[in-house]
């Protein structure tokens, strides 16, 4: 993990097209502004993990088409 120190108003750039700017620092809370192309999805980690878990559960509910056709008869 790369750890960088930044002050309010300073930024970092990732891969020439993602910019993360420190917009505010309030006690233990740091607010970030993120500029990225629209095709790049950005989630808070807890939301990302929840999406991954939901996708995993959805995949466990997939029914094989031949099994589905047998159930239909």
């Amino acid at each position: 993990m790369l750890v960088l120190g930044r002050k309010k108003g300073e930024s970092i750039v990732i891969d020439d097209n993602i910019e993360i700017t420190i917009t505010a620092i309030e006690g233990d809370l740091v607010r970030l502004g993120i500029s990225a192309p629209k095709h790049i999805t950005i989630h808070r980690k807890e939301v990302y993990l929840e999406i991954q878990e939901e996708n995993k559960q959805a995949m466990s509910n997939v029914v094989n088409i031949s099994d589905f056709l047998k159930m239909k008869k």
Side-chain angles (χ1 to χ4, degrees), residues 11-23:
S11 300
I12 61 170
V13 176
I14 301 170
D15 198 31
D16 293 328
N17 59 358
I18 301 170
E19 182 176 4
I20 301 172
T21 304
I22 307 301
T23 60

Side-chain angles (χ1 to χ4, degrees), residues 6 8 22-32 44 46:
R6 300 277 72 201
K8 182 179 174 183
I22 307 301
T23 60
I25 302 170
E26 302 162 0
D28 289 342
L29 180 67
V30 176
R31 295 194 182 275
L32 304 174
R44 295 186 322 251
E46 62 273 16

Side-chain angles (χ1 to χ4, degrees), residues 3 9-10 13 21 27 30 40 48 51-53 56 63 69 71:
V3 178
E10 294 182 333
V13 176
T21 304
V30 176
I40 295 178
Y48 173 80
I51 291 169
Q52 294 301 311
E53 182 60 32
K56 191 167 92 175
V63 176
L69 293 173
M71 291 187 313

